[in-house]
């Protein structure tokens, strides 16, 4: 199947063709189209600002890239006859799992770390009707527990350790290549937490090159927060050993010390001649403020990308993948000043005159 076929589907009105995931269905999941559970998702915008391209995955139905993998995982869960799905999450996976489970009529059980989930994400997860288990511990503890619980209790696991999730997430890369009329960029920059995206992006690029969709291999840059940097530490040692850390960062989405897709992500960095960088909380929050002030906006984890571009001094065509919406984490927003006034024109004039 050639690229023109995907380009034709893009203009179609059918939900599975419009979906930025299922437009590529032959390379995502071998499934009868009637079985597909799609919102639809994907078909996100690409913005160019200050010489950098931003692919905004926060424009997915539940406000993060997770929907791209979840449509595939939930489609597969139904095919396998599951009645309940579960995940551990820093908030976005749980929101997405809850939404797609609701659509499919499945029960969703989510394991979230105590007190560390951003307000918008928790609100969504509850609104979509998931059973919310708040684990006294961090994400890594919640992840261990859900692995055990799903194994012992026969519940379908929808974390990115589930290969069907990654098959869906490959389409972030394919769609951004399509946005660029299949001219491969020099760099694709992605936040790195549990390492599902890094892994999926590597697989997507290798497949795209092997099928002749692109003639040049872009390089991946995976960016971690300094306080949650096990992958960066391993990269610095040429991946000779795997690190685990006690994670702490303002970017709660990527507050992860022991990422599950570690080995696949190493393969992705190697296959793309990629790099791994770390940025401090100050650097990522400054980048977030800048992305917000461009009129685009994103949640803190997503801003590691621009902070990473700056730190690495990247040149050429650069695509930053913004993974989550601005409103996911309203507590992390640098608020402009709110000035309270009487309902009186003089008050308005006085304030505007004072600059
Ligand atoms: N950005 C956002 C907004 C995220 O929610 C996540 C992960 C990442 C980046 C990191 O992606 O794990 O593929 O390396 N969020 C997961 C969750 C852990 O539970 O929502 P990754």
């Amino acid at each position: 199947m050639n690229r023109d076929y995907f380009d034709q589907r893009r203009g179609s009105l059918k939900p599975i063709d419009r979906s930025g995931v299922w437009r590529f269905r032959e390379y995502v999941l071998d499934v009868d189209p009637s079985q597909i559970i799609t919102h639809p998702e994907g078909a996100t915008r690409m913005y160019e600002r200050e010489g950098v391209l931003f692919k905004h995955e926060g424009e997915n139905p539940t406000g993060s890239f997770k929907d791209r993998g979840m449509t595939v995982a939930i489609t597969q869960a139904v095919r396998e006859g599951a009645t309940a799905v579960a995940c551990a999450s820093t908030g976005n996976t749980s929101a997405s799992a809850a939404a797609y489970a609701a659509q499919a009529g499945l029960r969703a059980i989510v394991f979230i770390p105590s007190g560390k989930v951003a307000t918008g994400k928790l609100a969504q997860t509850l609104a979509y009707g998931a059973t919310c288990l708040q684990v006294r511990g961090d994400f890594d503890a919640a992840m261990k527990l859900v692995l055990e619980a799903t194994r012992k209790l026969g519940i379908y696991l929808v974390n990115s350790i589930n290969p069907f999730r990654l098959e869906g997430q490959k389409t972030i890369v394919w769609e951004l290549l399509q946005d660029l009329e299949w001219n491969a960029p020099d760099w694709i920059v992605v936040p790195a937490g549990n390492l599902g995206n890094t892994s999926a992006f590597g697989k997507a690029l290798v497949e795209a090159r092997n099928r002749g969709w692109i003639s040049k291999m872009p390089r991946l840059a995976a960016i971690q927060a300094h306080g949650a940097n096990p992958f960066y530490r391993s990269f610095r040692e040429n991946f000779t050993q795997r690190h685990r850390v006690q994670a702490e960062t303002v970017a709660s989405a990527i507050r992860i010390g022991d990422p599950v897709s570690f080995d696949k992500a190493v393969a992705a960095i190697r296959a793309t001649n990629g790099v791994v960088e770390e940025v401090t909380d100050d650097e990522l929050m400054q980048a977030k403020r800048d992305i917000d002030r461009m009129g685009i906006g994103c949640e803190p984890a997503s801003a590691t990308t621009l902070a990473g571009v700056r730190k690495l001094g990247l040149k050429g065509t650069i695509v930053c993948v913004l993974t989550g919406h601005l409103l996911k984490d309203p507590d992390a927003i640098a608020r402009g000043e709110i000035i309270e006034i009487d309902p009186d024109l003089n008050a308005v004039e006085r304030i505007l005159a004072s600059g």
Side-chain angles (χ1 to χ4, degrees):
M1 190 151 305
N2 70 27
R3 304 176 314 195
D4 299 344
Y5 203 72
F6 305 133
D7 293 346
Q8 277 166 26
R9 280 183 182 166
R10 195 166 201 177
S12 157
L13 291 176
K14 280 169 50 186
I16 59 163
D17 289 342
R18 276 171 56 181
S19 164
V21 173
W22 298 107
R23 187 190 305 151
F24 303 100
R25 55 189 170 273
E26 287 79 2
Y27 303 102
V28 170
L29 182 69
D30 186 8
V31 62
D32 187 292
S34 67
Q35 292 183 294
I36 291 172
I37 293 162
T38 176
H39 257 57
E41 48 291 307
T44 57
R45 293 180 194 84
M46 175 103 95
Y47 300 92
E48 181 166 6
R49 295 288 186 279
E50 299 171 18
V52 176
L53 295 159
F54 294 94
K55 179 70 171 166
H56 208 327
E57 289 298 303
E59 295 179 352
N60 272 289
T62 76
S64 85
F65 73 93
K66 303 289 181 179
D67 296 337
R68 296 218 187 223
M70 206 55 72
T71 180
V72 185
I74 297 291
T75 295
Q76 183 63 18
V78 171
R79 289 174 90 201
E80 292 184 24
T83 55
V85 298
C87 65
S89 181
T90 55
N92 281 326
T93 302
S94 59
S96 184
Y100 280 83
Q103 185 179 0
L106 304 178
R107 179 174 190 189
I109 305 150
V110 310
F111 294 65
I112 59 167
S114 248
K116 294 290 180 185
V117 172
T119 316
K121 304 176 188 183
L122 191 57
Q124 289 179 291
T125 305
L126 294 169
Y128 296 134
T131 301
C132 208
L133 305 178
Q134 181 161 300
V135 181
R136 288 187 205 99
D138 58 11
F139 171 83
D140 300 295
M143 189 73 228
K144 270 202 200 97
L145 183 59
V146 81
L147 286 173
E148 206 187 331
T150 48
R151 222 177 277 134
K152 295 255 168 72
L153 307 176
I155 301 166
Y156 190 86
L157 179 69
V158 295
N159 274 108
S160 57
I161 198 169
N162 177 330
F164 296 104
R165 279 272 314 275
L166 300 189
E167 290 303 300
Q169 286 172 213
K170 288 187 308 190
T171 66
I172 300 171
V173 163
W174 294 343
E175 192 179 280
L176 78 80
L177 293 171
Q178 190 175 29
D179 292 335
L180 297 173
E181 296 176 329
W182 303 100
N183 296 308
D186 296 298
W187 290 96
I188 298 176
V189 190
V190 62
N194 218 14
L195 301 178
N197 250 355
T198 304
S199 304
F201 285 22
K203 191 161 190 275
L205 287 170
V206 169
E207 291 181 16
R209 190 199 45 197
N210 291 350
R211 294 187 188 119
W213 298 349
I214 48 173
S215 49
K216 172 185 97 178
M217 188 63 130
R219 298 177 70 185
L220 276 183
I223 318 294
Q224 296 213 287
H226 170 70
N229 66 354
F231 193 51
Y232 170 74
R233 289 187 194 203
S234 293
F235 172 76
R236 289 283 304 268
E237 296 168 0
N238 222 346
F239 296 125
T240 47
Q241 60 170 320
R242 178 170 177 168
H243 284 272
R244 292 172 178 81
V245 304
Q246 189 70 46
E248 191 51 81
T249 167
V250 292
S252 59
I254 52 173
R255 194 169 174 274
I256 296 170
D258 187 13
V260 294
S261 296
F262 194 95
D263 295 333
K264 290 180 204 162
V266 171
I269 295 299
R270 290 198 169 130
T272 61
N273 187 25
V275 298
V276 186
E277 183 55 277
E278 64 167 3
V279 295
T280 65
D281 279 2
D282 284 349
E283 287 165 338
L284 74 90
M285 286 308 286
Q286 181 58 51
K288 174 185 149 49
R289 189 177 181 282
D290 295 341
I291 293 166
D292 290 353
R293 296 292 160 99
M294 291 172 191
I296 299 174
C298 64
E299 66 166 283
S302 308
T304 55
T305 54
L306 181 59
V309 168
R310 290 171 174 168
K311 198 150 193 177
L312 289 163
L314 298 186
K315 298 275 181 304
T317 307
I318 301 162
V319 183
C320 288
V321 176
L322 300 180
T323 45
H325 197 277
L326 168 75
L327 291 174
K328 286 280 190 175
D329 194 350
D331 301 319
I333 291 166
R335 286 160 204 281
E337 198 185 353
I338 297 177
I339 308 164
E340 194 170 10
I341 57 165
D342 292 323
D344 165 14
L345 183 60
N346 288 331
V348 180
E349 285 178 328
R350 220 177 306 124
I351 284 155
L352 298 186
S354 71

